[in-house]
mmCIF file of all heavy atoms in Angstrom:
data_model
loop_
_atom_site.group_PDB
_atom_site.id
_atom_site.type_symbol
_atom_site.label_atom_id
_atom_site.label_comp_id
_atom_site.label_asym_id
_atom_site.label_seq_id
_atom_site.Cartn_x
_atom_site.Cartn_y
_atom_site.Cartn_z
ATOM 1 N N GLU A 1 10.308 15.392 5.023
ATOM 2 C CA GLU A 1 11.695 15.726 5.335
ATOM 3 C C GLU A 1 12.586 14.490 5.382
ATOM 4 O O GLU A 1 13.791 14.582 5.226
ATOM 5 C CB GLU A 1 11.762 16.474 6.665
ATOM 6 C CG GLU A 1 11.122 17.847 6.587
ATOM 7 C CD GLU A 1 11.187 18.588 7.904
ATOM 8 O OE1 GLU A 1 11.990 18.203 8.776
ATOM 9 O OE2 GLU A 1 10.428 19.549 8.054
ATOM 10 N N GLN A 2 11.963 13.320 5.578
ATOM 11 C CA GLN A 2 12.740 12.088 5.699
ATOM 12 C C GLN A 2 12.864 11.321 4.382
ATOM 13 O O GLN A 2 13.926 10.801 4.080
ATOM 14 C CB GLN A 2 12.082 11.156 6.719
ATOM 15 C CG GLN A 2 12.032 11.704 8.121
ATOM 16 C CD GLN A 2 11.208 10.797 9.005
ATOM 17 O OE1 GLN A 2 10.004 10.670 8.801
ATOM 18 N NE2 GLN A 2 11.852 10.165 9.966
ATOM 19 N N PHE A 3 11.758 11.246 3.624
ATOM 20 C CA PHE A 3 11.742 10.365 2.448
ATOM 21 C C PHE A 3 11.150 11.085 1.246
ATOM 22 O O PHE A 3 10.221 11.871 1.370
ATOM 23 C CB PHE A 3 10.911 9.112 2.746
ATOM 24 C CG PHE A 3 11.242 8.482 4.062
ATOM 25 C CD1 PHE A 3 10.330 8.493 5.098
ATOM 26 C CD2 PHE A 3 12.476 7.909 4.283
ATOM 27 C CE1 PHE A 3 10.634 7.939 6.326
ATOM 28 C CE2 PHE A 3 12.794 7.357 5.513
ATOM 29 C CZ PHE A 3 11.877 7.362 6.536
ATOM 30 N N ASP A 4 11.681 10.770 0.069
ATOM 31 C CA ASP A 4 11.152 11.389 -1.143
ATOM 32 C C ASP A 4 9.927 10.636 -1.649
ATOM 33 O O ASP A 4 9.606 9.551 -1.175
ATOM 34 C CB ASP A 4 12.240 11.480 -2.224
ATOM 35 C CG ASP A 4 12.769 10.114 -2.665
ATOM 36 O OD1 ASP A 4 11.979 9.146 -2.747
ATOM 37 O OD2 ASP A 4 13.970 10.020 -2.938
ATOM 38 N N ARG A 5 9.256 11.232 -2.607
ATOM 39 C CA ARG A 5 8.008 10.705 -3.163
ATOM 40 C C ARG A 5 8.177 9.284 -3.727
ATOM 41 O O ARG A 5 7.316 8.435 -3.539
ATOM 42 C CB ARG A 5 7.535 11.671 -4.243
ATOM 43 C CG ARG A 5 6.460 11.151 -5.120
ATOM 44 C CD ARG A 5 5.993 12.191 -6.094
ATOM 45 N NE ARG A 5 4.701 12.585 -5.597
ATOM 46 C CZ ARG A 5 4.107 13.703 -5.816
ATOM 47 N NH1 ARG A 5 4.687 14.607 -6.560
ATOM 48 N NH2 ARG A 5 2.925 13.947 -5.342
ATOM 49 N N VAL A 6 9.278 9.019 -4.397
ATOM 50 C CA VAL A 6 9.509 7.710 -5.013
ATOM 51 C C VAL A 6 9.689 6.631 -3.939
ATOM 52 O O VAL A 6 9.148 5.528 -4.058
ATOM 53 C CB VAL A 6 10.722 7.752 -5.969
ATOM 54 C CG1 VAL A 6 11.054 6.370 -6.491
ATOM 55 C CG2 VAL A 6 10.445 8.713 -7.121
ATOM 56 N N THR A 7 10.412 6.942 -2.891
ATOM 57 C CA THR A 7 10.601 5.985 -1.792
ATOM 58 C C THR A 7 9.259 5.632 -1.165
ATOM 59 O O THR A 7 8.977 4.452 -0.898
ATOM 60 C CB THR A 7 11.556 6.562 -0.730
ATOM 61 O OG1 THR A 7 12.819 6.828 -1.343
ATOM 62 C CG2 THR A 7 11.732 5.605 0.443
ATOM 63 N N ILE A 8 8.425 6.632 -0.951
ATOM 64 C CA ILE A 8 7.097 6.391 -0.376
ATOM 65 C C ILE A 8 6.273 5.522 -1.317
ATOM 66 O O ILE A 8 5.657 4.544 -0.893
ATOM 67 C CB ILE A 8 6.384 7.728 -0.068
ATOM 68 C CG1 ILE A 8 7.143 8.480 1.022
ATOM 69 C CG2 ILE A 8 4.929 7.480 0.339
ATOM 70 C CD1 ILE A 8 6.726 9.931 1.186
ATOM 71 N N TYR A 9 6.265 5.857 -2.598
ATOM 72 C CA TYR A 9 5.505 5.079 -3.585
ATOM 73 C C TYR A 9 5.968 3.617 -3.609
ATOM 74 O O TYR A 9 5.153 2.698 -3.552
ATOM 75 C CB TYR A 9 5.656 5.703 -4.980
ATOM 76 C CG TYR A 9 4.972 4.897 -6.048
ATOM 77 C CD1 TYR A 9 3.593 4.963 -6.220
ATOM 78 C CD2 TYR A 9 5.698 4.043 -6.872
ATOM 79 C CE1 TYR A 9 2.954 4.204 -7.187
ATOM 80 C CE2 TYR A 9 5.072 3.286 -7.840
ATOM 81 C CZ TYR A 9 3.705 3.366 -7.998
ATOM 82 O OH TYR A 9 3.082 2.607 -8.956
ATOM 83 N N ARG A 10 7.253 3.396 -3.673
ATOM 84 C CA ARG A 10 7.793 2.023 -3.717
ATOM 85 C C ARG A 10 7.479 1.259 -2.435
ATOM 86 O O ARG A 10 7.160 0.072 -2.475
ATOM 87 C CB ARG A 10 9.297 2.051 -3.960
ATOM 88 C CG ARG A 10 9.642 2.447 -5.365
ATOM 89 C CD ARG A 10 11.134 2.397 -5.590
ATOM 90 N NE ARG A 10 11.451 2.802 -6.954
ATOM 91 C CZ ARG A 10 12.602 3.321 -7.324
ATOM 92 N NH1 ARG A 10 13.573 3.479 -6.439
ATOM 93 N NH2 ARG A 10 12.803 3.656 -8.571
ATOM 94 N N THR A 11 7.553 1.946 -1.311
ATOM 95 C CA THR A 11 7.221 1.307 -0.036
ATOM 96 C C THR A 11 5.757 0.893 -0.018
ATOM 97 O O THR A 11 5.423 -0.236 0.372
ATOM 98 C CB THR A 11 7.538 2.249 1.143
ATOM 99 O OG1 THR A 11 8.932 2.577 1.104
ATOM 100 C CG2 THR A 11 7.192 1.602 2.473
ATOM 101 N N LEU A 12 4.862 1.771 -0.464
ATOM 102 C CA LEU A 12 3.436 1.440 -0.508
ATOM 103 C C LEU A 12 3.170 0.259 -1.449
ATOM 104 O O LEU A 12 2.409 -0.646 -1.117
ATOM 105 C CB LEU A 12 2.616 2.659 -0.934
ATOM 106 C CG LEU A 12 2.534 3.782 0.091
ATOM 107 C CD1 LEU A 12 1.885 5.014 -0.527
ATOM 108 C CD2 LEU A 12 1.780 3.330 1.334
ATOM 109 N N GLN A 13 3.804 0.265 -2.620
ATOM 110 C CA GLN A 13 3.614 -0.839 -3.569
ATOM 111 C C GLN A 13 4.099 -2.163 -2.970
ATOM 112 O O GLN A 13 3.448 -3.195 -3.116
ATOM 113 C CB GLN A 13 4.334 -0.548 -4.888
ATOM 114 C CG GLN A 13 3.690 0.557 -5.685
ATOM 115 C CD GLN A 13 2.202 0.338 -5.888
ATOM 116 O OE1 GLN A 13 1.388 1.060 -5.334
ATOM 117 N NE2 GLN A 13 1.824 -0.651 -6.640
ATOM 118 N N THR A 14 5.218 -2.126 -2.282
ATOM 119 C CA THR A 14 5.735 -3.328 -1.620
ATOM 120 C C THR A 14 4.766 -3.802 -0.551
ATOM 121 O O THR A 14 4.475 -5.005 -0.454
ATOM 122 C CB THR A 14 7.121 -3.047 -1.004
ATOM 123 O OG1 THR A 14 8.019 -2.674 -2.047
ATOM 124 C CG2 THR A 14 7.651 -4.262 -0.260
ATOM 125 N N PHE A 15 4.235 -2.879 0.242
ATOM 126 C CA PHE A 15 3.282 -3.241 1.293
ATOM 127 C C PHE A 15 2.011 -3.848 0.699
ATOM 128 O O PHE A 15 1.461 -4.795 1.253
ATOM 129 C CB PHE A 15 2.935 -2.031 2.155
ATOM 130 C CG PHE A 15 4.014 -1.616 3.130
ATOM 131 C CD1 PHE A 15 3.857 -0.468 3.884
ATOM 132 C CD2 PHE A 15 5.182 -2.351 3.303
ATOM 133 C CE1 PHE A 15 4.827 -0.076 4.800
ATOM 134 C CE2 PHE A 15 6.161 -1.968 4.200
ATOM 135 C CZ PHE A 15 5.985 -0.827 4.959
ATOM 136 N N VAL A 16 1.547 -3.327 -0.426
ATOM 137 C CA VAL A 16 0.357 -3.898 -1.085
ATOM 138 C C VAL A 16 0.664 -5.307 -1.572
ATOM 139 O O VAL A 16 -0.100 -6.248 -1.343
ATOM 140 C CB VAL A 16 -0.128 -3.002 -2.248
ATOM 141 C CG1 VAL A 16 -1.184 -3.725 -3.089
ATOM 142 C CG2 VAL A 16 -0.681 -1.691 -1.721
ATOM 143 N N GLU A 17 1.790 -5.476 -2.240
ATOM 144 C CA GLU A 17 2.182 -6.790 -2.769
ATOM 145 C C GLU A 17 2.320 -7.828 -1.663
ATOM 146 O O GLU A 17 1.951 -8.985 -1.844
ATOM 147 C CB GLU A 17 3.506 -6.684 -3.539
ATOM 148 C CG GLU A 17 3.385 -5.935 -4.841
ATOM 149 C CD GLU A 17 4.739 -5.606 -5.455
ATOM 150 O OE1 GLU A 17 5.786 -6.129 -4.975
ATOM 151 O OE2 GLU A 17 4.765 -4.801 -6.405
ATOM 152 N N LYS A 18 2.823 -7.423 -0.519
ATOM 153 C CA LYS A 18 3.058 -8.347 0.587
ATOM 154 C C LYS A 18 1.821 -8.575 1.458
ATOM 155 O O LYS A 18 1.840 -9.389 2.370
ATOM 156 C CB LYS A 18 4.211 -7.844 1.475
ATOM 157 C CG LYS A 18 5.559 -7.866 0.794
ATOM 158 C CD LYS A 18 6.051 -9.283 0.600
ATOM 159 C CE LYS A 18 7.476 -9.325 0.127
ATOM 160 N NZ LYS A 18 7.997 -10.692 0.058
ATOM 161 N N GLY A 19 0.741 -7.840 1.194
ATOM 162 C CA GLY A 19 -0.473 -8.011 1.999
ATOM 163 C C GLY A 19 -0.426 -7.296 3.331
ATOM 164 O O GLY A 19 -1.121 -7.676 4.271
ATOM 165 N N ILE A 20 0.368 -6.229 3.404
ATOM 166 C CA ILE A 20 0.456 -5.448 4.638
ATOM 167 C C ILE A 20 -0.581 -4.325 4.619
ATOM 168 O O ILE A 20 -1.172 -4.006 5.631
ATOM 169 C CB ILE A 20 1.884 -4.892 4.831
ATOM 170 C CG1 ILE A 20 2.872 -6.056 4.978
ATOM 171 C CG2 ILE A 20 1.960 -3.964 6.033
ATOM 172 C CD1 ILE A 20 4.333 -5.659 4.953
ATOM 173 N N VAL A 21 -0.780 -3.705 3.463
ATOM 174 C CA VAL A 21 -1.826 -2.703 3.290
ATOM 175 C C VAL A 21 -2.666 -3.068 2.076
ATOM 176 O O VAL A 21 -2.226 -3.818 1.203
ATOM 177 C CB VAL A 21 -1.269 -1.250 3.135
ATOM 178 C CG1 VAL A 21 -0.497 -0.821 4.357
ATOM 179 C CG2 VAL A 21 -0.465 -1.093 1.881
ATOM 180 N N HIS A 22 -3.893 -2.547 2.036
ATOM 181 C CA HIS A 22 -4.744 -2.745 0.870
ATOM 182 C C HIS A 22 -5.154 -1.395 0.308
ATOM 183 O O HIS A 22 -5.073 -0.375 0.990
ATOM 184 C CB HIS A 22 -5.968 -3.613 1.183
ATOM 185 C CG HIS A 22 -6.892 -3.045 2.205
ATOM 186 N ND1 HIS A 22 -6.676 -3.164 3.568
ATOM 187 C CD2 HIS A 22 -8.049 -2.351 2.076
ATOM 188 C CE1 HIS A 22 -7.663 -2.577 4.228
ATOM 189 N NE2 HIS A 22 -8.514 -2.063 3.352
ATOM 190 N N THR A 23 -5.563 -1.406 -0.950
ATOM 191 C CA THR A 23 -5.948 -0.170 -1.614
ATOM 192 C C THR A 23 -7.453 0.022 -1.554
ATOM 193 O O THR A 23 -8.216 -0.934 -1.481
ATOM 194 C CB THR A 23 -5.498 -0.171 -3.084
ATOM 195 O OG1 THR A 23 -6.079 -1.298 -3.744
ATOM 196 C CG2 THR A 23 -3.987 -0.219 -3.203
ATOM 197 N N ILE A 24 -7.843 1.289 -1.599
ATOM 198 C CA ILE A 24 -9.249 1.665 -1.606
ATOM 199 C C ILE A 24 -9.426 2.668 -2.739
ATOM 200 O O ILE A 24 -8.807 3.737 -2.720
ATOM 201 C CB ILE A 24 -9.659 2.326 -0.270
ATOM 202 C CG1 ILE A 24 -9.351 1.392 0.904
ATOM 203 C CG2 ILE A 24 -11.125 2.718 -0.297
ATOM 204 C CD1 ILE A 24 -9.368 2.085 2.252
ATOM 205 N N PRO A 25 -10.248 2.352 -3.734
ATOM 206 C CA PRO A 25 -10.457 3.312 -4.824
ATOM 207 C C PRO A 25 -11.331 4.473 -4.352
ATOM 208 O O PRO A 25 -12.137 4.322 -3.442
ATOM 209 C CB PRO A 25 -11.180 2.476 -5.880
ATOM 210 C CG PRO A 25 -11.876 1.405 -5.112
ATOM 211 C CD PRO A 25 -11.012 1.122 -3.909
ATOM 212 N N THR A 26 -11.158 5.623 -4.972
ATOM 213 C CA THR A 26 -11.978 6.784 -4.633
ATOM 214 C C THR A 26 -12.698 7.285 -5.878
ATOM 215 O O THR A 26 -12.361 6.904 -7.000
ATOM 216 C CB THR A 26 -11.114 7.921 -4.050
ATOM 217 O OG1 THR A 26 -10.204 8.361 -5.063
ATOM 218 C CG2 THR A 26 -10.347 7.480 -2.830
ATOM 219 N N ALA A 27 -13.664 8.152 -5.681
ATOM 220 C CA ALA A 27 -14.467 8.670 -6.790
ATOM 221 C C ALA A 27 -13.632 9.462 -7.800
ATOM 222 O O ALA A 27 -13.967 9.514 -8.977
ATOM 223 C CB ALA A 27 -15.592 9.542 -6.246
ATOM 224 N N ASP A 28 -12.535 10.059 -7.342
ATOM 225 C CA ASP A 28 -11.699 10.846 -8.252
ATOM 226 C C ASP A 28 -10.548 10.033 -8.852
ATOM 227 O O ASP A 28 -9.574 10.584 -9.345
ATOM 228 C CB ASP A 28 -11.172 12.092 -7.548
ATOM 229 C CG ASP A 28 -10.227 11.769 -6.400
ATOM 230 O OD1 ASP A 28 -10.038 10.589 -6.070
ATOM 231 O OD2 ASP A 28 -9.687 12.726 -5.810
ATOM 232 N N ASN A 29 -10.673 8.711 -8.798
ATOM 233 C CA ASN A 29 -9.686 7.775 -9.364
ATOM 234 C C ASN A 29 -8.320 7.822 -8.685
ATOM 235 O O ASN A 29 -7.330 7.411 -9.265
ATOM 236 C CB ASN A 29 -9.526 7.970 -10.872
ATOM 237 C CG ASN A 29 -10.748 7.527 -11.616
ATOM 238 O OD1 ASN A 29 -11.410 6.568 -11.234
ATOM 239 N ND2 ASN A 29 -11.089 8.240 -12.684
ATOM 240 N N SER A 30 -8.266 8.329 -7.463
ATOM 241 C CA SER A 30 -7.027 8.227 -6.704
ATOM 242 C C SER A 30 -7.125 6.973 -5.836
ATOM 243 O O SER A 30 -8.126 6.267 -5.870
ATOM 244 C CB SER A 30 -6.798 9.485 -5.859
ATOM 245 O OG SER A 30 -7.832 9.652 -4.934
ATOM 246 N N VAL A 31 -6.101 6.704 -5.096
ATOM 247 C CA VAL A 31 -6.060 5.498 -4.277
ATOM 248 C C VAL A 31 -5.732 5.871 -2.841
ATOM 249 O O VAL A 31 -4.872 6.704 -2.583
ATOM 250 C CB VAL A 31 -4.992 4.509 -4.805
ATOM 251 C CG1 VAL A 31 -4.872 3.290 -3.911
ATOM 252 C CG2 VAL A 31 -5.301 4.092 -6.231
ATOM 253 N N LEU A 32 -6.432 5.232 -1.923
ATOM 254 C CA LEU A 32 -6.113 5.336 -0.511
ATOM 255 C C LEU A 32 -5.560 3.997 -0.060
ATOM 256 O O LEU A 32 -5.814 2.968 -0.693
ATOM 257 C CB LEU A 32 -7.366 5.685 0.294
ATOM 258 C CG LEU A 32 -8.008 7.033 -0.013
ATOM 259 C CD1 LEU A 32 -9.343 7.142 0.701
ATOM 260 C CD2 LEU A 32 -7.092 8.166 0.395
ATOM 261 N N TYR A 33 -4.831 4.008 1.033
ATOM 262 C CA TYR A 33 -4.223 2.794 1.566
ATOM 263 C C TYR A 33 -4.637 2.619 3.023
ATOM 264 O O TYR A 33 -4.691 3.580 3.774
ATOM 265 C CB TYR A 33 -2.692 2.886 1.495
ATOM 266 C CG TYR A 33 -2.166 3.081 0.098
ATOM 267 C CD1 TYR A 33 -2.021 4.351 -0.442
ATOM 268 C CD2 TYR A 33 -1.822 1.989 -0.686
ATOM 269 C CE1 TYR A 33 -1.540 4.536 -1.733
ATOM 270 C CE2 TYR A 33 -1.342 2.165 -1.978
ATOM 271 C CZ TYR A 33 -1.207 3.442 -2.491
ATOM 272 O OH TYR A 33 -0.740 3.621 -3.772
ATOM 273 N N ALA A 34 -4.924 1.369 3.393
ATOM 274 C CA ALA A 34 -5.281 1.059 4.775
ATOM 275 C C ALA A 34 -4.562 -0.219 5.192
ATOM 276 O O ALA A 34 -4.283 -1.099 4.370
ATOM 277 C CB ALA A 34 -6.789 0.892 4.923
ATOM 278 N N LEU A 35 -4.291 -0.319 6.467
ATOM 279 C CA LEU A 35 -3.601 -1.476 7.025
ATOM 280 C C LEU A 35 -4.460 -2.726 6.901
ATOM 281 O O LEU A 35 -5.657 -2.696 7.191
ATOM 282 C CB LEU A 35 -3.301 -1.191 8.495
ATOM 283 C CG LEU A 35 -2.191 -1.961 9.170
ATOM 284 C CD1 LEU A 35 -0.870 -1.783 8.443
ATOM 285 C CD2 LEU A 35 -2.044 -1.480 10.606
ATOM 286 N N CYS A 36 -3.881 -3.818 6.439
ATOM 287 C CA CYS A 36 -4.583 -5.095 6.339
ATOM 288 C C CYS A 36 -4.619 -5.763 7.715
ATOM 289 O O CYS A 36 -3.831 -5.449 8.599
ATOM 290 C CB CYS A 36 -3.865 -6.044 5.383
ATOM 291 S SG CYS A 36 -3.975 -5.593 3.653
ATOM 292 N N LYS A 37 -5.503 -6.703 7.843
ATOM 293 C CA LYS A 37 -5.538 -7.533 9.044
ATOM 294 C C LYS A 37 -4.543 -8.683 8.858
ATOM 295 O O LYS A 37 -3.970 -8.869 7.789
ATOM 296 C CB LYS A 37 -6.952 -8.068 9.285
ATOM 297 C CG LYS A 37 -7.943 -6.966 9.557
ATOM 298 C CD LYS A 37 -7.526 -6.187 10.788
ATOM 299 C CE LYS A 37 -8.322 -4.932 10.962
ATOM 300 N NZ LYS A 37 -7.695 -3.989 11.848
ATOM 301 N N ASP A 38 -4.372 -9.475 9.880
ATOM 302 C CA ASP A 38 -3.348 -10.523 9.874
ATOM 303 C C ASP A 38 -3.548 -11.619 8.840
ATOM 304 O O ASP A 38 -2.613 -12.308 8.494
ATOM 305 C CB ASP A 38 -3.251 -11.167 11.263
ATOM 306 C CG ASP A 38 -2.673 -10.194 12.285
ATOM 307 O OD1 ASP A 38 -1.928 -9.288 11.875
ATOM 308 O OD2 ASP A 38 -2.962 -10.351 13.469
ATOM 309 N N ASN A 39 -4.771 -11.796 8.322
ATOM 310 C CA ASN A 39 -4.985 -12.929 7.423
ATOM 311 C C ASN A 39 -4.636 -12.627 5.971
ATOM 312 O O ASN A 39 -4.791 -13.475 5.115
ATOM 313 C CB ASN A 39 -6.433 -13.440 7.531
ATOM 314 C CG ASN A 39 -7.449 -12.373 7.163
ATOM 315 O OD1 ASN A 39 -7.134 -11.201 7.088
ATOM 316 N ND2 ASN A 39 -8.672 -12.797 6.934
ATOM 317 N N CYS A 40 -4.140 -11.439 5.660
ATOM 318 C CA CYS A 40 -3.689 -11.132 4.308
ATOM 319 C C CYS A 40 -2.241 -11.590 4.161
ATOM 320 O O CYS A 40 -1.480 -11.605 5.117
ATOM 321 C CB CYS A 40 -3.789 -9.634 4.029
ATOM 322 S SG CYS A 40 -5.472 -9.028 3.947
ATOM 323 N N SER A 41 -1.900 -11.953 2.932
ATOM 324 C CA SER A 41 -0.531 -12.381 2.667
ATOM 325 C C SER A 41 -0.164 -11.972 1.255
ATOM 326 O O SER A 41 -0.988 -11.426 0.517
ATOM 327 C CB SER A 41 -0.402 -13.902 2.834
ATOM 328 O OG SER A 41 -1.249 -14.557 1.909
ATOM 329 N N GLN A 42 1.044 -12.268 0.859
ATOM 330 C CA GLN A 42 1.514 -11.866 -0.456
ATOM 331 C C GLN A 42 0.590 -12.398 -1.547
ATOM 332 O O GLN A 42 0.363 -13.600 -1.653
ATOM 333 C CB GLN A 42 2.936 -12.369 -0.693
ATOM 334 C CG GLN A 42 3.516 -11.876 -1.995
ATOM 335 C CD GLN A 42 5.012 -12.111 -2.081
ATOM 336 O OE1 GLN A 42 5.671 -12.357 -1.083
ATOM 337 N NE2 GLN A 42 5.541 -12.019 -3.276
ATOM 338 N N GLY A 43 0.033 -11.478 -2.324
ATOM 339 C CA GLY A 43 -0.836 -11.850 -3.430
ATOM 340 C C GLY A 43 -2.239 -12.270 -3.031
ATOM 341 O O GLY A 43 -3.053 -12.595 -3.886
ATOM 342 N N HIS A 44 -2.546 -12.277 -1.736
ATOM 343 C CA HIS A 44 -3.868 -12.727 -1.279
ATOM 344 C C HIS A 44 -4.415 -11.772 -0.223
ATOM 345 O O HIS A 44 -4.128 -11.902 0.955
ATOM 346 C CB HIS A 44 -3.784 -14.142 -0.695
ATOM 347 C CG HIS A 44 -3.312 -15.147 -1.677
ATOM 348 N ND1 HIS A 44 -4.102 -15.629 -2.682
ATOM 349 C CD2 HIS A 44 -2.107 -15.739 -1.818
ATOM 350 C CE1 HIS A 44 -3.406 -16.492 -3.409
ATOM 351 N NE2 HIS A 44 -2.185 -16.570 -2.906
ATOM 352 N N HIS A 45 -5.198 -10.813 -0.699
ATOM 353 C CA HIS A 45 -5.846 -9.893 0.229
ATOM 354 C C HIS A 45 -7.205 -10.454 0.612
ATOM 355 O O HIS A 45 -7.940 -10.961 -0.217
ATOM 356 C CB HIS A 45 -6.019 -8.510 -0.412
ATOM 357 C CG HIS A 45 -4.740 -7.753 -0.494
ATOM 358 N ND1 HIS A 45 -4.280 -6.972 0.528
ATOM 359 C CD2 HIS A 45 -3.807 -7.679 -1.463
ATOM 360 C CE1 HIS A 45 -3.126 -6.437 0.182
ATOM 361 N NE2 HIS A 45 -2.817 -6.848 -1.018
ATOM 362 N N HIS A 46 -7.512 -10.382 1.890
ATOM 363 C CA HIS A 46 -8.789 -10.881 2.403
ATOM 364 C C HIS A 46 -9.535 -9.762 3.131
ATOM 365 O O HIS A 46 -10.191 -9.996 4.122
ATOM 366 C CB HIS A 46 -8.558 -12.069 3.350
ATOM 367 C CG HIS A 46 -7.835 -13.190 2.683
ATOM 368 N ND1 HIS A 46 -8.422 -14.002 1.755
ATOM 369 C CD2 HIS A 46 -6.548 -13.602 2.783
ATOM 370 C CE1 HIS A 46 -7.543 -14.889 1.318
ATOM 371 N NE2 HIS A 46 -6.394 -14.659 1.933
#
């Protein structure tokens, strides 16, 4: 009710790029997202 699909997608992509969330592949080729720990940064996921 608050945000459209594109806004959510762009927000997730920004969070991945900045090291705020990381992606998790699944067996059906979809992607899950989880919160990163503090040592991740832009372009460097740990």
Side-chain angles (χ1 to χ4, degrees):
E1 293 180 17
Q2 297 173 294
F3 313 112
D4 62 37
R5 167 176 253 156
V6 174
T7 300
I8 295 167
Y9 176 78
R10 288 183 181 154
T11 301
L12 290 171
Q13 290 308 111
T14 299
F15 285 175
V16 169
E17 290 169 10
K18 293 289 189 175
I20 297 171
V21 299
H22 62 278
T23 58
I24 303 164
T26 64
D28 65 355
N29 291 325
S30 61
V31 176
L32 297 171
Y33 301 88
L35 202 57
C36 289
K37 296 300 169 198
D38 291 334
N39 60 345
C40 292
S41 61
Q42 185 167 343
H44 299 285
H45 286 273
H46 302 287

